[in-house]
């Protein structure tokens, strides 16, 4: 089993690396397992707009289309465009 608290324990130190990576990306990016700079025990669906980084963390097997839609909805309510 994955200890969610362990993932969150490392987020603060790993977010700058993710932020820098996302600055060169357009739209929404998905990081699964070992590709995820926040930890290989989960997945991250991310969007960067100006200096705002939106991230949804979840299990490696999740409904990515739904999470993608949720991230777009969050961005829309905050007047952000990916």
């Amino acid at each position: 089993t994955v200890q969610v608290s362990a993932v969150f324990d490392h987020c603060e130190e790993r977010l700058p690396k993710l932020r820098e990576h996302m600055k060169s990306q357009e739209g929404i990016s998905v990081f699964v397992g070992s590709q995820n700079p926040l930890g290989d025990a989960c997945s991250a669906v991310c969007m960067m707009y100006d200096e705002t980084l939106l991230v949804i963390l979840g299990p490696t097997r999740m409904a990515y289309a739904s999470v993608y839609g949720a991230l777009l909805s969050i961005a829309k309510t905050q007047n952000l465009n990916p």
Side-chain angles (χ1 to χ4, degrees):
T1 61
V2 174
Q3 294 295 328
V4 176
S5 61
V7 173
F8 285 108
D9 286 345
H10 298 288
C11 278
E12 189 173 346
E13 65 191 42
R14 295 177 181 176
L15 275 174
K17 179 180 176 183
L18 178 59
R19 180 182 297 279
E20 283 304 310
H21 176 76
M22 288 301 298
K23 284 182 179 179
S24 65
Q25 304 297 309
E26 288 189 26
I28 295 176
S29 296
V30 176
F31 302 99
V32 180
S34 62
Q35 297 173 344
N36 183 1
L38 298 177
D40 61 0
C42 62
S43 295
V45 182
C46 311
M47 183 187 92
M48 188 83 182
Y49 181 78
D50 288 335
E51 294 299 313
T52 302
L53 176 63
L54 299 175
V55 180
I56 297 178
L57 290 175
T60 54
R61 294 184 182 194
M62 65 176 161
Y64 288 98
S66 296
V67 173
Y68 187 95
L71 193 58
L72 287 176
S73 293
I74 292 167
K76 184 177 180 181
T77 62
Q78 298 300 309
N79 295 317
L80 305 174
N81 295 310

